[in-house]
Amino acid sequence: MECKKEVALDRKTEMRAIHDAMDVLSGKWKIYIISSVCLYNKRRFSDILNDVDGISNKMLSKELKELEVNKLIERTVLNTHPVTVQYGLTEHGKTLQTIITNLTDWGLAHRREIIGQKS
């Protein structure tokens, strides 16, 4: 696969788009959180906390709020006792599924290439 040869947009516009994407997705935890929710469709806070090794309650809460503000994650409060909260991808967030799948596939291939492990 080669990098895009045809230039539909000017370079500054493309670089601004990459900057915007990285601004929303950058940081240590956001891709992991999105991946957890993407993989299981709907996740409770504690489920995401268990999936993402090393993240604190406070940091997960902060990151989920930022992902909500950026319309990637939606928070649903269920009418249960005690109250249950679920997180899911918004329609806009679901557009990241291909990126998450490609990143996973690349990571597995890279691990095999560099250290020869299958998982």
Side-chain angles (χ1 to χ4, degrees):
M1 184 171 121
E2 293 182 28
C3 288
K4 187 166 65 170
K5 287 184 182 178
E6 70 280 351
V7 179
L9 303 171
D10 66 70
R11 275 309 205 192
K12 286 201 179 283
T13 302
E14 288 181 356
M15 295 308 288
R16 191 175 330 119
I18 291 169
H19 175 78
D20 292 346
M22 292 306 296
D23 190 46
V24 172
L25 299 174
S26 69
K28 186 174 182 178
W29 306 111
K30 287 190 179 82
I31 295 294
Y32 294 113
I33 294 166
I34 293 167
S35 297
S36 174
V37 176
C38 184
L39 184 61
Y40 294 100
N41 194 28
K42 297 280 185 185
R43 300 297 275 164
R44 294 179 319 192
F45 185 92
S46 60
D47 296 329
I48 301 168
L49 194 62
N50 288 332
D51 283 348
V52 182
D53 290 335
I55 194 169
S56 68
N57 285 340
K58 184 177 177 181
M59 182 57 75
L60 178 56
S61 180
K62 175 189 165 295
E63 296 288 271
L64 284 167
K65 285 177 187 171
E66 287 181 19
L67 290 167
E68 264 189 281
V69 166
N70 283 293
K71 299 182 180 182
L72 299 176
I73 296 279
E74 60 188 351
R75 181 179 188 267
T76 305
V77 179
L78 302 176
N79 190 15
T80 59
H81 186 70
V83 173
T84 304
V85 177
Q86 284 186 331
Y87 295 91
L89 293 177
T90 63
E91 287 303 313
H92 183 55
K94 288 177 183 176
T95 63
L96 292 169
Q97 288 176 316
T98 302
I99 294 169
I100 298 297
T101 300
N102 289 340
L103 189 59
T104 302
D105 292 345
W106 185 88
L108 292 169
H110 179 68
R111 180 174 292 269
R112 283 191 301 271
E113 178 72 23
I114 299 302
I115 57 179
Q117 292 184 356
K118 292 184 179 181
S119 58

